[in-house]
Amino acid sequence: MLVGAAFHGGIPFTLPPSPAIQSSNCSRVLLSSSLLTRRSNRRKKPKWFPCFVGSSVGKWKRFGVRAEAVGEVTEEEAFGSGGPRLYSVRIPVGDRHILVETGHIGRQASGAVTVTDGETIVYSTACLSDVPSEPADFFPLSVNYQERFSAAGRTSGGFFKREGRTRDHEVLVCRLIDRPLRPTIVAGFYHETQILSWVLSYDGLHAPDYLAVTAAGIALALSEVPNTQAVAGVRVGLVNGKFIVNPTTEEMEESELDLVLAGTKSAILMIEGYCNFLPEEKLLQAVEVGQESVRAICSEIEALVKKCGKQKMYDAVKLPPPELYMHVEEIAGDELIRALQIKSKTPRRKALTALEDKVVTILTEKGYVSKGVASAVAETVPVLFDDEDEDEEVVLDGEVDEGDVHIKPTMRKSTPLLFSEVDVKLVFKEVSFKFLRRRIVQGGKRSDGRNPQGIRPISSRCALLPRAHGSALFTRGETQALAVVTLGDKKMAQRVDSLEEDDEKRFYLQYSFPPSSVGEVGRIGGPSRREIGHGTLAERALQPALPSDGEFPYTIRVESTITESNGSSSMASVCGGCLALQDAGIPLKCSIAGIAMGMVLDTEEFGGDGTPLILSDITGSEDASGDMDFKVTGNEDSITAFQLDIKVGGITLPVMKQALLQAREGRRIILEEMSKCSPPPALKLSKYAPLIHVMKVSSDKVNLIIGPGGKKVKSIIEETGVEAIDLRDDGTVKIIAKNISCIEKTKSLITGLTMVPTVGDVYRNCAIKSIAPYGVLVEIAAGREGLCHVSELSHNFLPKPEDAFKVGDQIDVKLIEINAKGQIRLSRKALLPAVPDPLVPNTKQQSSASTKDTWSKDGSVEGNLGTPGKVVKGPEGTPEDERHVNKDKPKKVKVKAVGSVSRKTQNSSVNGEAKVG
């Protein structure tokens, strides 16, 4: 036997020096290798292998080769004495570098890589199954992305302190990874492939989503999966008119654009993002900037793959037999053309299904003889018979010359061909797409009769659901969306759990695609990845048109249920959602519409001039058979959101520009049709919607409204009957109620709690709340009381307040003093002329009780915007003794300090009077 490198695990070896060879008839050679250097204490029995070595005299001697048993080899030794070999490359991107490393982690995966930006690290692997799956019309690729809370030094906020169900944000990143990678996989490769990505470290500045796209592209390029080109992804922002590649999270807060782009060295494969009403020209510039960075990254990836990439499994690619395409076209040709001309989706689908079953039956069970083979046989057979008739001799008397015997030929029968059912179905689908594309390019007509720029018929109606806060039904062709808006307070906001601090969304759109929308039976459960992606796209499309929280302080939820679907259902959700928001009375900045664009890239194959053909408002079949799905939303002149998926090798900027301009014209048509909605949007709040009043108080008075342990705010809610009171640290107060009376009452109480009275203010028509021997307690605001001493009730002498006043009487008072405790002293006589008071009898008797200056009532009360009377500030000419605050006068009873209203209540003052509220 010849001992080669395979014997030593792939490492070549040399024969040991002569002392290791024992001179005997059967020599024994001890083989050793640099791999096997450590010996265990327990020796294993040597194994003998017969070998022959040639001698100097030309004779061969037989000898045995013994591989000496050694202990286990560590992984570090298996990769050399220096440990695993690390390959790394620093790639300049924007104003910094990203670090790509492979070979040191995840070595059993087909491809594994870590990508670092700042202190953010993403780890991605690519693995594939050993056995191929059954052929299908899609590549069996699955992508999973997970943000570990430990990456940011946090733990999950739930009961189970570990990551669980994939969050919506992670699903969106999975889609960002999947969509650009799928088109690069070689057709006919059916080994199940899985891409896994984890965020191992997050610094709070460098987002991990675009790094995950690049890391997954590198892992796939290093693996054995046969793909055409390397893929990379970047983010592009627009800050102060300047485009920034891979901006930080701080820069993104000021950015007008959030664009994630993925592609190869030569073309764009995927873009997705949203912006604040940017024109098409700005978006194209951003794409161009991002493409340059992607091209640089892909060049470095290809260089890395040449160094350490694995050999691609091109031998595992299995395609249907080439002749099968011709057979399917021969069998289904004319019927397929007629089926594709059916305008309605359901009858067309049934016709295509029946035709597919017919083709499958013929090619898998009955067998098929090609027309070309049959015609060739038919042509040769008559010639054989003619030759036979000419050469045939008549035999008489039974005498036959053996040399003249002619054997009569029979017609040759061609053997029917049989194919696998999977191959037939795959080929039938491709042939159907081919026929549809040819019809569009050559005839200029699509399956429903439109031209490439045509928009399907549109109808819409609002106020469909009487109890909903807003509703709309939007129909475009055979695609229909029912949008419903629900308004609520902060408690209805959606909580978002992420690597950073938990956040809340005051606007969210939830998209639902039931199987009944396409006339099928299917599973009903949680939202699929497709539903999450489409809902987020529609949400981002409508977000820029919403008013600010200060202008419209509601939490807004939009539900979009697809009731019919034949393409562009997410764009129908945008249009229907816009109408429903207007029907709910939300003051949008403008109307928003969405449109999906398609493309036939290689028109020369179907008789065209080679120029890509752009299709507006594509249907489901055009989406499946086309080369592009480009969704664009916005108003008449600018864009709010976009999503591009390419199913071929990619597109160039000129093609994208043509698609964007054609999409703008389509949006204008759709917006015009939306304006014809009947019945139109209500443009006002529904009577069933909750009422929210926003008021502003001083930030240092918020605690007065809350009270110790929240007791005060709870008592206000119970007393007034409002649903909730939302308090913020900046002094913003939101009152949520079902009717206006509850809001007015709550406003009064909160205003009284936070008002700041001023010496000299005059309060009209204030009610007397209680009477004491020393004076009366007057409510100057809702729940806010002050003492009017008996000596301040009248110019006349009054021994007892009850002699002239009773509880419930309304009087005008002036604030003459506020002590250090916040207690208020009022005067009635300061507003009376110096004449005898008709309400008070003129007597000279005085009571010792009337001269007491003792307050027994706590001045801590609540306030109201709608006060019992007007608050009038004293004029500039008020006598000094009336405006003086007596700080030296002793007080015998301690009184609780009261809260005060901030001057931020912005009371308007006219002629010295200011009405609170």
Side-chain angles (χ1 to χ4, degrees):
M1 123 177 204
L2 297 179
V3 182
F7 179 76
H8 290 274
I11 301 178
F13 74 99
T14 57
L15 288 175
S18 55
I21 303 178
Q22 302 176 2
S23 56
S24 65
N25 292 334
C26 186
S27 303
R28 296 180 179 178
V29 179
L30 176 64
L31 299 182
S32 62
S33 168
S34 59
L35 251 183
L36 313 176
T37 54
R38 296 187 179 179
R39 295 181 173 86
S40 63
N41 294 329
R42 296 180 60 184
R43 296 264 183 161
K44 295 183 180 180
K45 185 177 180 180
K47 295 183 180 180
W48 294 88
F49 303 92
C51 295
F52 294 92
V53 177
S55 64
S56 58
V57 295
K59 296 181 180 180
W60 292 91
K61 293 185 178 181
R62 189 171 184 260
F63 72 97
V65 180
R66 184 183 65 185
E68 190 172 51
V70 297
E72 295 182 358
V73 181
T74 64
E75 288 183 359
E76 182 176 2
E77 291 176 326
F79 285 82
S81 58
R85 184 169 183 181
L86 173 64
Y87 295 89
S88 64
V89 58
R90 295 179 62 86
I91 305 175
V93 181
D95 58 352
R96 57 185 185 273
H97 291 74
I98 62 173
L99 176 63
V100 178
E101 296 178 304
T102 184
H104 67 301
I105 183 173
R107 298 188 300 269
Q108 296 187 36
S110 182
V113 66
T114 59
V115 179
T116 305
D117 187 6
E119 293 183 348
T120 298
I121 302 176
V122 176
Y123 167 56
S124 292
T125 62
C127 294
L128 66 160
S129 61
D130 296 331
V131 180
S133 305
E134 283 294 324
D137 58 353
F138 65 93
F139 175 60
L141 172 66
S142 61
V143 177
N144 285 277
Y145 167 86
Q146 188 179 66
E147 294 180 346
R148 296 284 178 85
F149 284 101
S150 59
R154 299 182 59 216
T155 57
S156 175
F159 179 78
F160 298 101
K161 298 300 179 181
R162 66 176 300 168
E163 288 72 15
R165 183 181 66 88
T166 304
R167 299 184 293 274
D168 287 359
H169 170 68
E170 295 172 330
V171 169
L172 298 176
V173 178
C174 290
R175 288 170 56 84
L176 289 178
I177 297 171
D178 184 291
R179 285 156 41 205
L181 294 182
R182 192 174 293 274
T184 65
I185 308 298
V186 176
F189 185 75
Y190 298 115
H191 288 256
E192 184 178 358
T193 303
Q194 187 178 48
I195 303 292
L196 302 179
S197 295
W198 295 271
V199 180
L200 302 183
S201 176
Y202 178 61
D203 58 7
L205 289 177
H206 306 95
D209 50 0
Y210 60 86
L211 288 180
V213 177
T214 300
I218 299 174
L220 191 68
L222 293 171
S223 71
E224 301 158 300
V225 178
N227 62 328
T228 55
Q229 297 185 74
V231 176
V234 296
R235 168 176 271 116
V236 180
L238 178 61
V239 180
N240 298 326
K242 180 182 178 182
F243 293 106
I244 303 176
V245 179
N246 290 353
T248 63
T249 54
E250 295 176 350
E251 292 171 330
M252 284 303 301
E253 293 178 359
E254 307 295 330
S255 178
E256 302 177 59
L257 169 70
D258 186 355
L259 165 67
V260 177
L261 180 145
T264 63
K265 286 178 59 177
S266 57
I268 302 166
L269 292 173
M270 182 273 298
I271 65 171
E272 180 170 339
Y274 53 99
C275 51
N276 188 16
F277 296 105
L278 284 185
E280 285 79 359
E281 292 74 16
K282 281 287 186 181
L283 178 58
L284 287 171
Q285 293 175 13
V287 172
E288 185 175 6
V289 171
Q291 189 181 16
E292 292 178 358
S293 298
V294 167
R295 189 179 296 114
I297 297 174
C298 290
S299 298
E300 296 294 337
I301 294 175
E302 291 179 356
L304 179 65
V305 170
K306 290 180 180 178
K307 292 181 180 179
C308 55
K310 295 183 179 179
Q311 185 176 359
K312 299 296 182 180
M313 296 174 57
Y314 290 108
D315 56 342
V317 175
K318 295 181 180 180
L319 297 173
E323 64 273 13
L324 183 56
Y325 292 86
M326 180 183 65
H327 299 333
V328 172
E329 291 186 19
E330 290 177 355
I331 298 173
D334 295 336
E335 294 184 57
L336 184 57
I337 293 175
R338 289 193 295 269
L340 293 174
Q341 292 175 352
I342 301 174
K343 294 184 178 181
S344 298
K345 174 186 176 181
T346 302
R348 182 173 62 249
R349 183 188 64 190
K350 292 182 178 180
L352 290 174
T353 302
L355 181 57
E356 182 186 31
D357 293 340
K358 174 184 174 182
V359 173
V360 170
T361 301
I362 293 175
L363 292 175
T364 61
E365 298 178 7
K366 298 180 180 180
Y368 177 70
V369 178
S370 176
K371 294 180 181 179
V373 175
S375 61
V377 173
E379 292 177 358
T380 56
V381 169
V383 175
L384 292 175
F385 279 109
D386 290 342
D387 294 342
E388 182 184 14
D389 292 339
E390 293 176 0
D391 299 336
E392 186 176 4
E393 295 181 2
V394 180
V395 179
L396 300 175
D397 299 331
E399 295 182 1
V400 179
D401 184 358
E402 293 183 2
D404 296 331
V405 172
H406 295 272
I407 300 174
K408 185 177 180 178
T410 58
M411 182 180 291
R412 293 179 298 174
K413 295 183 179 179
S414 56
T415 304
L417 300 177
L418 297 177
F419 300 90
S420 68
E421 182 178 350
V422 174
D423 286 344
V424 174
K425 288 186 175 181
L426 290 175
V427 172
F428 180 83
K429 184 175 181 179
E430 292 186 30
V431 171
S432 301
F433 291 168
K434 178 181 177 181
F435 275 49
L436 180 60
R437 292 154 66 94
R438 180 183 298 161
R439 170 182 166 83
I440 297 173
V441 174
Q442 291 182 351
K445 295 292 184 182
R446 296 150 76 174
S447 58
D448 54 4
R450 289 180 293 151
N451 58 30
Q453 295 79 26
I455 306 296
R456 290 174 288 176
I458 295 174
S459 65
S460 55
R461 57 177 296 194
C462 288
L464 186 68
L465 307 177
R467 298 287 298 192
H469 301 161
S471 61
L473 183 68
F474 179 84
T475 306
R476 178 166 52 195
E478 294 179 302
T479 299
Q480 188 179 76
L482 174 62
V484 181
V485 172
T486 305
L487 303 177
D489 58 351
K490 183 180 178 181
K491 293 186 296 184
M492 203 180 79
Q494 185 180 40
R495 181 181 176 184
V496 180
D497 196 10
S498 63
L499 286 177
E500 301 182 21
E501 296 181 358
D502 296 344
D503 195 9
E504 291 181 344
K505 293 169 60 175
R506 62 175 289 263
F507 169 67
Y508 51 96
L509 188 148
Q510 296 172 336
Y511 169 97
S512 177
F513 191 91
S516 61
S517 63
V518 289
E520 297 178 354
V521 176
R523 181 188 64 87
I524 294 294
S528 65
R529 290 189 173 188
R530 178 180 178 274
E531 290 175 317
I532 293 174
H534 281 25
T536 302
L537 176 62
E539 175 185 312
R540 291 172 172 175
L542 296 171
Q543 180 83 49
L546 294 175
S548 64
D549 186 41
E551 297 171 333
F552 193 77
Y554 285 86
T555 296
I556 306 169
R557 179 196 183 199
V558 180
E559 298 173 80
S560 177
T561 303
I562 305 303
T563 54
E564 297 179 24
S565 179
N566 187 15
S568 307
S569 60
S570 61
M571 298 297 95
S573 299
V574 173
C575 301
C578 176
L579 293 173
L581 290 171
Q582 293 173 335
D583 187 56
I586 300 174
L588 298 182
K589 299 176 183 177
C590 60
S591 295
I592 302 295
I595 187 171
M597 311 297 293
M599 179 185 65
V600 179
L601 184 61
D602 188 10
T603 58
E604 190 173 1
E605 178 185 355
F606 308 106
D609 57 0
T611 304
L613 181 62
I614 306 298
L615 306 177
S616 297
D617 186 23
I618 58 176
T619 62
S621 59
E622 292 167 344
D623 183 8
S625 63
D627 300 323
M628 177 182 75
D629 182 12
F630 193 6
K631 301 180 178 70
V632 187
T633 69
N635 58 13
E636 295 88 346
D637 301 312
S638 53
I639 297 173
T640 58
F642 46 87
Q643 184 183 90
L644 169 67
D645 291 326
I646 298 298
K647 304 172 186 178
V648 290
I651 63 171
T652 58
L653 283 174
V655 176
M656 184 179 294
K657 180 178 180 181
Q658 180 185 354
L660 285 173
L661 296 179
Q662 191 168 321
R664 181 171 62 186
E665 298 301 321
R667 289 200 312 276
R668 291 174 177 174
I669 296 174
I670 297 170
L671 288 169
E672 183 179 356
E673 294 297 323
M674 290 170 59
S675 65
K676 302 175 184 178
C677 177
S678 178
L683 301 179
K684 64 179 181 180
L685 284 178
S686 168
K687 61 182 180 180
Y688 301 111
L691 300 177
I692 297 182
H693 177 77
V694 180
M695 57 187 299
K696 192 81 171 179
V697 300
S698 177
S699 58
D700 58 349
K701 303 299 181 184
V702 173
N703 289 334
L704 291 177
I705 304 175
I706 299 175
K711 292 182 179 180
K712 194 63 181 177
V713 69
K714 291 178 181 177
S715 66
I716 295 175
I717 293 174
E718 294 175 358
E719 179 181 349
T720 60
V722 297
E723 293 185 357
I725 299 176
D726 180 20
L727 300 167
R728 299 187 180 179
D729 294 338
D730 62 352
T732 301
V733 180
K734 289 184 180 180
I735 307 171
I736 301 95
K738 293 183 177 180
N739 54 70
I740 191 66
S741 61
C742 294
I743 289 181
E744 291 297 332
K745 190 173 182 180
T746 306
K747 285 164 53 180
S748 301
L749 295 177
I750 292 177
T751 304
L753 281 173
T754 57
M755 67 177 294
V756 180
T758 306
V759 173
D761 288 347
V762 175
Y763 301 90
R764 304 286 184 184
N765 300 322
C766 298
I768 297 177
K769 303 299 290 184
S770 62
I771 299 177
Y774 49 84
V776 297
L777 291 173
V778 182
E779 186 179 49
I780 61 176
R784 188 69 177 270
E785 299 176 359
L787 174 66
C788 183
H789 194 266
V790 66
S791 62
E792 297 292 339
L793 286 174
S794 175
H795 290 292
N796 300 338
F797 175 73
L798 182 65
K800 295 181 180 180
E802 57 267 22
D803 293 342
F805 302 97
K806 63 180 181 296
V807 175
D809 288 349
Q810 293 185 349
I811 61 176
D812 299 338
V813 292
K814 181 178 182 179
L815 197 156
I816 60 175
E817 180 184 353
I818 302 176
N819 66 10
K821 301 286 187 179
Q823 298 167 329
I824 297 173
R825 185 175 180 185
L826 305 172
S827 173
R828 177 175 175 267
K829 73 177 183 180
L831 300 177
L832 298 175
V835 295
D837 189 347
L839 297 179
V840 180
N842 188 8
T843 175
K844 297 182 180 180
Q845 296 179 2
Q846 296 185 7
S847 153
S848 61
S850 65
T851 60
K852 288 184 179 181
D853 193 15
T854 304
W855 296 357
S856 61
K857 180 72 175 179
D858 191 340
S860 175
V861 291
E862 304 163 24
N864 183 4
L865 278 177
T867 54
K870 296 181 180 179
V871 180
V872 182
K873 206 161 191 175
E876 296 295 335
T878 302
E880 184 67 24
D881 58 347
E882 293 183 4
R883 299 179 58 86
H884 178 66
V885 179
N886 188 358
K887 299 181 180 180
D888 300 328
K889 194 170 185 179
K891 304 293 183 245
K892 299 181 180 180
V893 179
K894 292 185 179 181
V895 183
K896 182 179 179 181
V898 298
S900 54
V901 156
S902 166
R903 299 186 185 273
K904 294 184 181 180
T905 52
Q906 302 177 357
N907 299 331
S908 58
S909 176
V910 180
N911 296 329
E913 294 191 1
K915 187 173 182 179
V916 178

